């Protein structure tokens, strides 16, 4: 048997030699619109630092800088069995996590349930009923009990509620606004904990809500559990966000609690709302359209430029504009499928960027299959360049938030735990973000990056369980700051 060396992947360097001048002119204009140079990155970051500070002040700002009442990191010796519920933009996930006596270890079983689109704009009660139903199915399946009321004790649950919420207590949270395509009436401005607990009680489920958390805070805690150099948790997915550990003495808006100034408290930034005032963000006309046509115009300005929910729509809007107004892209063809809002997602761009062939044959097949369009080679070259520009801009702007936290906290070296579909799956996102960090923070060439963004641990599952464990540990120690219902915790 002949032992062949590993097969090389097809390489694609790309060529614009056969692209007509009108398309080349459009590509140059798109490069002008979507490129973000070093000077702009630094300008955005400096403003970001000021806005983070403003969010911690009594007056507040566009970035909420929400208190989480997670008062410190796990030490790795937390033990017990916990449930975690993860309500994100696409799926509902239920987990059972066992924290054994071995430091930094965990065991997990989990099930996923589709979040039906009709629930995202439906009735509040229907949402909580559906979540409770999924939880009941999970417990009945994994615990093999016929009567849930006969279980020995209530299982502590960490609920990952990945939407902006104000928390006066770790086991409660008032929804500030829906994001990620949700728009359920009657929930904004209300505490979601009793709404959820009522659905649990209705089914007599043996579950006790111990902590309501955000997925980004969970990412921070879970990542630090296995790597104590992790100081920032980030999400780059359907939305974008970051969390980090602040000192209570640096948070003026909680001064009235009279907490020890050096006591740590995790801050859930919710910085998708950065620069809603549009002071520094380099928006294009297409970003303006996305904002104006969104359910919440004027909100989440930063998120709408970098999050996975919007990358495909940006791409689609540009192509429609080029067809209608500029260079007759896909001239003479029916682009009705392309005209459907949000018909393309980030995976469409990802597929284009991953096409390894010189003639972009896979991209051509994608356009034929999904959009019934027969794209010429020059048109495919433009589409490829546009996907690169949109993906690169998202990665580079994403780095500004990380750099701003590092500057604010004077962090010179750390690991950043990142999660989310864009970070994990979008080609070159990590490398492009790392390059932007180098440019913003002026690191010398040729040396290892002192701040490194790495794949996070499971924040919404393991992180939620750890935060539930930390909350119970605090109750046992008598540190009750930010905990409302201690009954039944220990």
């Amino acid at each position: 048997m002949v032992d062949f060396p590993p097969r090389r992947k097809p390489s694609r360097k790309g060529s614009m030699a056969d692209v007509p001048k009108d398309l080349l002119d459009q590509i140059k204009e798109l490069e002008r619109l979507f490129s973000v140079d070093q000077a702009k990155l630094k300008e955005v970051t400096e403003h970001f630092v000021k806005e983070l500070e403003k969010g911690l002040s009594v007056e507040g700002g566009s970035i909420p800088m929400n208190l989480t009442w997670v008062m410190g990191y796990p030490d790795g010796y937390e033990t017990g069995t916990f449930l975690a519920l993860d309500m994100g933009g696409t799926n509902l996930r239920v987990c059972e996590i066992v924290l054994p006596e071995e430091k930094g270890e965990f065991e997990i079983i989990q099930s996923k349930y589709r979040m039906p689109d009709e629930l995202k704009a439906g009735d509040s009660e229907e949402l909580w009923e559906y979540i409770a139903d999924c939880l009941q199915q999970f417990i009945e399946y994994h615990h093999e009990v016929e009567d849930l009321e006969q279980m020995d004790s209530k299982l502590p649950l960490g609920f990952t509620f990945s939407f902006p919420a104000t928390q006066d207590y770790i086991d409660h949270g008032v929804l500030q606004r829906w994001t990620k395509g949700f728009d359920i009436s009657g929930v904004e401005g209300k505490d979601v904990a009793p709404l959820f607990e009522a659905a649990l009680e209705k089914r007599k489920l043996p579950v006790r809500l111990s902590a309501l958390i955000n997925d980004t805070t969970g990412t921070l805690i879970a990542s630090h559990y296995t790597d104590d150099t992790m100081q920032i948790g980030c999400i780059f997915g359907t939305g974008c966000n970051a969390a980090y550990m602040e000192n209570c003495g640096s948070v003026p808006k909680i001064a009235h609690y009279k907490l020890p100034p050096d006591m740590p408290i995790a801050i859930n930034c919710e910085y998708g709302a950065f620069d809603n005032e549009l002071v520094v963000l380099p928006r294009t006309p297409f970003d303006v359209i996305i904002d104006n046509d969104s359910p919440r115009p004027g909100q989440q300005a930063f998120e709408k430029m970098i999050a996975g929910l919007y990358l495909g729509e940006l791409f689609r809007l540009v192509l429609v504009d080029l067809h209608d107004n500029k260079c007759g892209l896909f001239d003479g063809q029916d682009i009705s499928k392309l005209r459907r809002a949000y018909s393309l997602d980030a995976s469409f761009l990802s597929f284009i960027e991953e096409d390894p062939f010189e003639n972009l044959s896979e991209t051509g097949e994608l356009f034929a299959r999904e959009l019934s369009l027969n794209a010429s080679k020059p048109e495919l070259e433009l589409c490829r360049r546009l996907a690169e520009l949109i993906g690169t801009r998202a990665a580079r702007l994403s780095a500004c938030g990380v750099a701003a936290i590092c500057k604010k906290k004077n962090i010179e070296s750390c690991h950043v735990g990142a999660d989310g579909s864009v970070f994990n799956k979008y080609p070159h996102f990590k490398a492009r973000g790392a390059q932007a960090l180098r440019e913003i923070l002026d690191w010398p060439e040729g040396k290892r990056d002192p701040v490194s963004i790495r794949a996070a641990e499971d924040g919404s599952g393991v992180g939620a369980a750890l935060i539930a464990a930390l909350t119970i540990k605090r109750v046992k120690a008598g540190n009750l700051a930010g905990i409302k219902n201690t009954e039944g915790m220990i």
Side-chain angles (χ1 to χ4, degrees), residues 245-267:
M245 204 65 74
E246 189 57 88
N247 296 323
C248 289
S250 300
V251 187
K253 63 184 177 183
I254 60 168
H256 58 286
Y257 285 97
K258 293 183 169 49
L259 297 168
D262 59 348
M263 178 181 281
I265 183 168
I267 301 294

Side-chain angles (χ1 to χ4, degrees), residues 87 295 387:
M87 178 183 164

Side-chain angles (χ1 to χ4, degrees), residues 1-153:
M1 179 178 172
V2 179
D3 188 16
F4 287 100
R7 185 177 176 183
R8 290 180 62 187
K9 289 185 177 180
S11 67
R12 184 189 183 283
K13 295 178 181 176
S15 169
M16 294 290 179
D18 53 353
V19 178
K21 184 177 184 305
D22 60 338
L23 285 187
L24 273 176
D25 289 343
Q26 291 305 322
I27 289 171
K28 287 178 181 175
E29 175 60 12
L30 292 171
E31 288 173 342
R32 185 190 70 79
L33 279 175
F34 284 97
S35 295
V36 185
D37 63 17
Q38 182 182 25
K40 190 61 176 177
L41 288 174
K42 289 189 172 187
E43 182 190 4
V44 171
T45 301
E46 290 305 318
H47 188 59
F48 220 129
V49 175
K50 294 173 186 172
E51 290 299 299
L52 293 175
E53 294 278 9
K54 191 185 291 184
L56 294 174
S57 70
V58 176
E59 298 77 20
S62 289
I63 303 179
M65 302 297 278
N66 290 330
L67 308 170
T68 66
W69 299 105
V70 178
M71 316 295 280
Y73 290 117
D75 59 16
Y77 294 107
E78 291 74 17
T79 59
T81 300
F82 303 86
L83 290 177
L85 183 63
D86 174 18
M87 178 183 164
T90 309
N91 297 311
L92 183 73
R93 185 167 62 118
V94 184
C95 313
E96 183 172 287
I97 293 105
V98 176
L99 304 176
E101 292 184 359
E102 293 82 10
K103 183 179 182 182
E105 296 293 321
F106 61 85
E107 300 163 13
I108 182 170
I109 53 174
Q110 59 187 312
S111 296
K112 277 188 178 180
Y113 305 87
R114 185 78 183 169
M115 185 65 77
D117 286 337
E118 57 270 21
L119 278 184
K120 296 181 182 181
D123 176 75
S124 168
E125 190 173 344
E126 290 175 355
L127 172 70
W128 305 114
E129 295 277 342
Y130 177 76
I131 293 171
D133 280 342
C134 294
L135 198 52
Q136 180 171 346
Q137 288 177 40
F138 179 88
I139 295 171
E140 287 177 342
Y141 180 80
H142 290 289
H143 285 267
E144 298 181 349
V145 289
E146 293 187 11
D147 187 356
L148 294 178
E149 292 185 63
Q150 300 304 311
M151 286 185 67
D152 294 337
S153 60

Side-chain angles (χ1 to χ4, degrees), residues 429-462:
F429 187 89
K430 299 171 191 176
R432 290 164 176 168
Q435 174 58 35
L437 272 180
R438 286 182 210 114
E439 293 176 34
I440 298 166
L441 298 174
D442 293 316
W443 295 329
E445 291 289 333
K447 291 192 175 181
R448 181 179 293 178
D449 293 351
V451 177
S452 174
I453 304 178
R454 305 185 172 206
E457 284 294 345
D458 173 17
S460 52
V462 176

